[in-house]
Amino acid sequence: MPALIGIIIVLLVGTWIWGKIEDTYHATIGKMMSGDNLSLILLVAFCATVPVCLCISMFGRRKRTETNSAPSDHSQSAAVHTQKLPQHAKLGRYTDGVVDDLAIGAGGKDSIRIPLHISYLGGSGTPTDRNIDVLSYTLGWTPTHAVVPLYLTAFCHLRNAQRMFRADRILDAYDPETGEEIQDLRTYLDEKAPLCPREPKYAGDDIEPPNSRRREPSRDTILIPISPCNVMVDYEDQNGPETCVGTVESFTYVVNQRVTVVVDINIRRAFDQKMQVIKYRQVTSATDPASGNAIPSLGEWLWSHRIR
């Protein structure tokens, strides 16, 4: 239909143009050529215009078809690319099925060295088998508040250099000593790593009280498990004053210029047994729910209950 409309427009414009040419011809050159001959020339020109318009229309349709088929070709290429993965492998196996949707800030451990054999899906899209030594790892939160591995900093024997590995791209992991397949990567790392990471120098010497002006740390925090203790914490977030009653299971901290700065407090709420992360800088007060006594320094209280 668009081609037909184009042909009609070309014919109308051509008729008008040739009419002007004919008038000019008769006014200047005269009767050197009869009107019948000129009409014949005009007819031949029109007949030649029609196939030209049809060719242009067919060429444009062919280009559109090639353009529309390009995404499907890309999809087929992507499908072939994906088929390189083993049948049982899947992204997010060790991150609770979550890929690219993990929240940072659930802690981690450093100053460790854990040998690991992994099948890793890198940027090329082809899995590679690697022997690595995990030097540190950070934990993240899934949208359902499950704590899973996030990033692994490790020495890669394949590249002979230190590399950062995304846990959601680890397809398989094995214990290099026993050859056993690892089902829960976070549990494996926690069991292999020391219970507490090496405490940085000056850690615990001077613990900062909650400071609302304190910015989020620019480096990875250290996760410290503590002996489960009940606590009632009053804090203030964007929704206003809030209260959380539950069991503290761990907290994260950094050492900044010889001062220990608590970052997050991980509390399992009493009413629904779900984990909640409270920013230490938002805490306004803390109370021991059993005795009703106020906890004067929550940071020191957390530090004294840490598992050594």
Side-chain angles (χ1 to χ4, degrees):
M1 188 65 182
L4 181 60
I5 295 176
I7 292 173
I8 294 174
I9 292 175
V10 169
L11 291 176
L12 292 176
V13 173
T15 302
W16 181 80
I17 292 175
W18 278 103
K20 293 295 183 181
I21 293 175
E22 186 178 10
D23 294 340
T24 304
Y25 173 81
H26 285 294
T28 56
I29 300 178
K31 298 291 184 177
M32 294 180 61
M33 184 177 292
S34 65
D36 294 338
N37 292 337
L38 188 60
S39 300
L40 180 61
I41 294 174
L42 186 61
L43 180 61
V44 172
F46 284 166
C47 292
T49 303
V50 172
V52 171
C53 293
L54 289 175
C55 291
I56 293 174
S57 176
M58 292 176 63
F59 179 76
R61 185 179 303 172
R62 181 179 178 184
K63 294 296 289 184
R64 286 195 300 272
T65 304
E66 292 177 354
T67 304
N68 294 335
S69 64
S72 62
D73 294 341
H74 179 74
S75 300
Q76 292 176 359
S77 175
V80 173
H81 198 60
T82 306
Q83 288 174 1
K84 295 179 180 179
L85 296 179
Q87 291 182 355
H88 67 281
K90 69 172 184 177
L91 293 176
R93 174 182 178 184
Y94 296 110
T95 54
D96 204 27
V98 179
V99 181
D100 291 333
D101 196 16
L102 296 169
I104 248 176
K109 292 185 179 179
D110 64 359
S111 303
I112 58 177
R113 195 173 192 89
I114 304 174
L116 204 62
H117 179 77
I118 62 173
S119 176
Y120 187 74
L121 184 68
S124 65
T126 303
T128 55
D129 292 332
R130 307 190 185 206
N131 289 315
I132 63 174
D133 293 329
V134 181
L135 306 177
S136 67
Y137 63 92
T138 56
L139 301 175
W141 299 97
T142 69
T144 58
H145 305 291
V147 181
V148 296
L150 185 61
Y151 291 106
L152 278 65
T153 302
F155 181 84
C156 177
H157 294 273
L158 178 66
R159 307 301 183 196
N160 197 30
Q162 183 170 306
R163 291 287 187 268
M164 181 80 75
F165 296 93
R166 284 175 43 175
D168 61 347
R169 288 185 166 268
I170 297 177
L171 307 176
D172 295 299
Y174 299 89
D175 186 328
E177 297 179 359
T178 64
E180 294 182 1
E181 186 175 5
I182 299 170
Q183 303 299 331
D184 188 336
L185 183 58
R186 182 203 167 189
T187 301
Y188 177 84
L189 293 173
D190 287 344
E191 290 176 351
K192 289 290 184 179
L195 189 57
C196 289
R198 185 182 63 199
E199 293 179 355
K201 195 175 182 181
Y202 309 114
D205 292 347
D206 185 10
I207 300 178
E208 184 181 75
N211 181 2
S212 59
R213 296 185 178 181
R214 170 68 68 181
R215 294 183 178 180
E216 288 294 307
S218 58
R219 58 186 184 277
D220 291 340
T221 58
I222 298 174
L223 177 70
I224 291 289
I226 74 171
S227 302
C229 299
N230 295 329
V231 69
M232 181 172 67
V233 177
D234 297 320
Y235 63 98
E236 189 165 353
D237 59 11
Q238 64 272 17
N239 298 321
E242 302 282 351
T243 299
C244 178
V245 179
T247 303
V248 181
E249 294 188 355
S250 61
F251 67 93
T252 60
Y253 76 97
V254 295
V255 175
N256 184 22
Q257 297 180 351
R258 301 193 178 191
V259 176
T260 300
V261 180
V262 178
V263 180
D264 294 323
I265 308 171
N266 303 319
I267 301 179
R268 189 170 298 280
R269 296 189 300 233
F271 72 92
D272 61 0
Q273 293 302 304
K274 289 186 178 180
M275 190 66 71
Q276 179 176 348
V277 181
I278 297 178
K279 296 294 181 184
Y280 179 73
R281 58 186 172 86
Q282 296 176 342
V283 174
T284 55
S285 64
T287 306
D288 183 345
S291 63
N293 296 328
I295 300 175
S297 175
L298 181 59
E300 294 180 1
W301 182 86
L302 291 169
W303 192 263
S304 65
H305 285 81
R306 77 191 190 282
I307 299 176
R308 295 174 175 83

